[in-house]
């Protein structure tokens, strides 16, 4: 079983404290202990180190030795050991109504990792690692390392299958384990990586399956009846998927890039395609203002709009947004109170999938059923004209308020609401 992928989320080293007095001696089930050993071996394995820059940095220090105190701060291991989130962890996760971190400026320190759990991790790994495994443990069981030096390999690219078709944003803690088991019938799976939205980190519904043998990857890519829990999957060899996106002049995300290839940064790609690149970190207000001044137009992305009809009575904007958020990543809802219809814009091109997946419409409460229909070219043009005009007006009003020293909107009842973020 291939464990959770990616750069480990860690707790600051200073947060490992000798506070055993406040912690009962932790124990693990046999099944959980096996998962922990598998996870630790995964961190040190070739497949993970080919992609995990953080772990490569860790094993490159101290002559390759990594202490268990460091490993205990990895988020996945904390989860497996049953270290419950403290109030600080929960506070750092709080988001506002737009899904943004509402506590970003005042991040609290994560929960400490008691030494009892560090010892538990060391004992569990020591007991579970065999002599034939790639890792070794020092005499006092405080650290471990690879037996051989890691040598990067490019073989993973040809052995990887890109798969799409799962619902956007729907993810369980054991999704990687379940998908790995599911694809194990096609061959030996070395690594499974979920693809995420670079900004929100939400699961995009696409993932990468790396097999030990290229023959297994080819067999999986040719499968026509591939599905998972009712969702039809679309597999493709990663080299072919990469070349298709390259031919379409699309931006190639880092996880899709061919080893040794040269690719523009996202900012460079945006500039080359006449788009406004996002303000870079560190630019502050000047960078954001410069980016904003270049364009006020909303990007027109095909396949993100769905028209809905059937709004009755006193249905409010929050109820509409909540209903659509259950079927896709909502960008904003264009709806005028009192109207029987409106348009929802999603963050990703999922309009066709949302319509096909809800042939009977979307229900709100006991009496309202929204009918979903495609947005034709004329309606799409009108939508973006309204949206761009509203955005320009809002920015102008905000600028006027700032010049007048105002701190917010005053007076007037809004005739309709839009959630743009």
């Amino acid at each position: 079983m291939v464990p959770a992928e990616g750069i480990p989320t860690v707790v600051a080293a200073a947060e490992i404290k000798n506070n055993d007095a406040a912690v009962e001696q932790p124990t693990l089930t046999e099944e959980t202990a096996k998962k922990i050993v598998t996870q630790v071996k995964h961190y040190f394995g070739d497949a993970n180190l080919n992609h995990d820059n953080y772990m490569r940095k860790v094993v490159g220090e101290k002559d390759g030795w990594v202490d268990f105190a460091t490993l205990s701060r990895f988020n996945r291991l904390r989860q497996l050991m049953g270290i419950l989130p403290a109030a600080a962890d929960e506070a750092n996760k709080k988001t506002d109504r737009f899904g943004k971190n509402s506590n970003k400026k005042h991040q609290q320190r994560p929960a400490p990792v008691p030494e009892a759990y560090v010892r538990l991790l060391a004992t569990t790994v020591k007991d579970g690692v065999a002599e034939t495994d790639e890792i070794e443990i020092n005499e006092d069981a405080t650290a471990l390392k690879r037996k051989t030096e890691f040598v990067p390999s490019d073989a993973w690219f040809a052995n990887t299958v890109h798969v799409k078709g799962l619902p956007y944003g729907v993810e369980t803690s054991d999704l990687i384990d379940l998908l790995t088991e599911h694809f194990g019938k096609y061959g030996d799976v070395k690594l499974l990586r979920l693809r995420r939205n670079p900004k929100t980190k939400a699961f995009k519904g696409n993932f990468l399956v790396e097999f030990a043998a290229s023959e297994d990857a080819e067999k999986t890519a040719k499968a026509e009846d591939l599905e998972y829990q009712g969702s039809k999957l679309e597999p493709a060899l990663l080299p072919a998927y990469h070349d298709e996106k390259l031919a379409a002049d699309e931006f190639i995300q880092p996880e899709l890039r061919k080893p040794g290839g040269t690719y523009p940064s996202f900012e460079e790609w945006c500039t080359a395609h006449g788009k406004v690149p996002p303000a870079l970190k560190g630019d502050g207000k000047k960078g954001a203002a410069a980016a904003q001044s270049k364009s006020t137009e909303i990007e027109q992305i095909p396949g993100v709009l769905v028209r809905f009809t059937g709004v009755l009575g006193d249905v409010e904007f929050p109820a509409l947004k909540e209903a659509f958020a259950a079927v896709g990543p909502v960008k904003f809802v264009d709806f005028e109170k009192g109207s029987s219809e409106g348009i929802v814009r999603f963050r990703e091109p999922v309009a066709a999938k949302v319509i096909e997946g809800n042939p009977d419409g979307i229900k709100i409460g006991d009496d309202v059923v929204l009918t979903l229909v495609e947005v034709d070219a004329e309606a799409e043009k009108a939508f973006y004209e309204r949206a761009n005009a509203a955005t320009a007006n809002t920015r102008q009003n905000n600028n006027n308020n700032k010049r007048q020293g105002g701190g917010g909107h005053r007076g007037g009842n809004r005739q309709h609401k839009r959630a743009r973020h």
Side-chain angles (χ1 to χ4, degrees):
M1 179 177 292
V2 177
E5 94 296 357
I7 299 175
T9 303
V10 299
V11 180
E15 293 302 319
I16 298 180
K17 301 179 180 179
N18 188 6
N19 54 357
D20 292 357
V23 179
E24 295 184 11
Q25 190 61 32
T27 58
L28 299 170
T29 65
E30 183 178 349
E31 180 182 0
T32 301
K34 289 181 179 179
K35 287 184 178 180
I36 287 176
V37 173
T38 300
Q39 186 71 35
V40 171
K41 289 194 291 187
H42 158 75
Y43 286 139
F44 287 83
D46 289 345
N48 180 62
L49 291 174
N50 265 323
H51 307 282
D52 192 337
N53 294 329
Y54 177 83
M55 195 63 193
R56 276 208 305 272
K57 177 177 178 292
V58 171
V59 300
E61 300 171 347
K62 300 179 182 178
D63 195 28
W65 290 102
V66 180
D67 56 68
F68 283 103
T70 297
L71 285 179
S72 71
R73 305 199 309 269
F74 287 16
N75 197 49
R76 175 61 172 163
L77 293 177
R78 293 174 71 210
Q79 181 187 42
L80 287 171
M81 288 190 291
I83 303 177
L84 299 177
D89 296 307
E90 294 303 316
N92 290 341
K93 292 179 183 178
K94 287 185 177 179
T95 59
D96 59 20
R97 65 193 182 96
F98 301 124
K100 296 180 180 179
N101 191 330
S102 58
N103 198 35
K104 193 171 184 179
K105 292 184 179 180
H106 305 286
Q107 288 280 296
Q108 300 181 39
R109 303 184 76 180
V113 180
E115 288 188 1
Y117 284 95
V118 179
R119 293 195 297 271
L120 174 65
L121 176 61
T123 301
T124 301
V125 175
K126 182 179 180 181
D127 293 342
V129 170
E131 291 186 5
T132 56
D133 287 327
E134 176 59 34
I135 57 178
E136 60 178 311
I137 301 172
N138 62 3
E139 292 184 1
D140 57 358
T142 58
L144 68 167
K145 67 180 293 187
R146 283 176 58 100
K147 292 179 180 178
T148 60
E149 184 179 355
F150 167 66
V151 179
S153 170
D154 296 343
W156 66 269
F157 189 73
N159 296 356
T160 298
V161 177
H162 181 276
V163 185
K164 58 183 179 180
L166 291 183
Y168 185 101
V170 179
E171 179 184 358
T172 59
S173 60
D174 58 350
L175 179 60
I176 291 176
D177 290 341
L178 294 174
L179 287 173
T180 299
E181 181 179 356
H182 184 76
F183 280 86
K185 61 186 178 184
Y186 292 96
D188 180 14
V189 176
K190 303 297 293 183
L191 186 68
L192 193 143
R193 293 179 288 154
L194 303 182
R195 297 194 61 204
R196 301 186 180 280
N197 182 304
K199 184 176 181 180
T200 67
K201 304 306 178 185
F203 173 45
K204 297 172 65 174
N206 305 342
F207 54 95
L208 298 165
V209 187
E210 180 185 340
F211 290 94
S214 59
E215 295 82 2
D216 294 332
E218 293 172 1
K219 177 176 62 177
T220 304
K222 294 177 181 178
E224 297 180 355
D225 57 347
L226 201 61
E227 63 176 50
Y228 178 77
Q229 294 186 354
S231 295
K232 182 173 176 56
L233 303 179
E234 301 177 35
L237 282 174
L238 179 55
Y241 184 75
H242 166 278
D243 292 347
E244 180 183 335
K245 292 183 71 69
L246 203 61
D249 202 20
E250 296 182 28
F251 177 70
I252 308 297
Q253 295 287 354
E255 68 271 20
L256 304 178
R257 295 175 180 177
K258 182 182 299 185
T262 302
Y263 300 87
S265 67
F266 186 59
E267 288 73 24
E268 292 170 339
W269 184 89
C270 286
T271 301
H273 289 75
K275 300 178 183 293
V276 179
L280 299 176
K281 288 184 178 180
D283 284 348
K285 294 181 178 179
K286 290 183 179 180
Q292 186 183 80
S293 65
K294 291 182 180 179
S295 175
T296 59
E297 291 192 356
I298 298 173
E299 182 182 7
Q300 298 187 29
I301 303 174
V304 297
L305 301 182
V306 172
R307 188 165 70 90
F308 58 89
T309 62
V311 182
L312 301 175
D314 57 352
V315 173
E316 297 286 345
F317 167 80
L320 290 170
K321 187 183 178 194
E322 181 179 356
F324 283 110
V327 297
V330 176
K331 180 73 173 178
F332 57 75
V333 178
D334 181 33
F335 172 70
E336 185 174 346
K337 189 172 181 180
S339 175
S340 62
E341 62 180 61
I343 291 178
V344 57
R345 184 192 182 203
F346 292 99
R347 294 181 178 276
E348 304 286 337
V350 297
K353 188 172 183 178
V354 169
I355 294 173
E356 292 174 3
N358 297 274
D360 298 326
I362 294 179
K363 190 173 182 180
I364 298 181
D366 297 326
D367 304 320
V368 177
V369 177
L370 303 180
T371 300
L372 309 182
V373 294
E374 295 182 5
V375 177
D376 58 34
E378 185 177 346
E380 182 178 50
K381 180 181 178 181
F383 167 82
Y384 281 111
E385 287 177 352
R386 292 197 309 274
N388 286 325
T391 300
N393 289 337
T394 299
R395 287 177 178 171
Q396 184 62 48
N397 290 337
N398 288 341
N399 291 336
N400 290 339
N401 283 337
K402 289 178 181 178
R403 285 194 292 269
Q404 297 170 7
H409 298 286
R410 294 183 176 86
N413 293 322
R414 294 177 65 106
Q415 297 301 311
H416 54 275
K417 294 185 178 180
R418 306 181 199 279
R420 295 190 175 90
H421 48 283

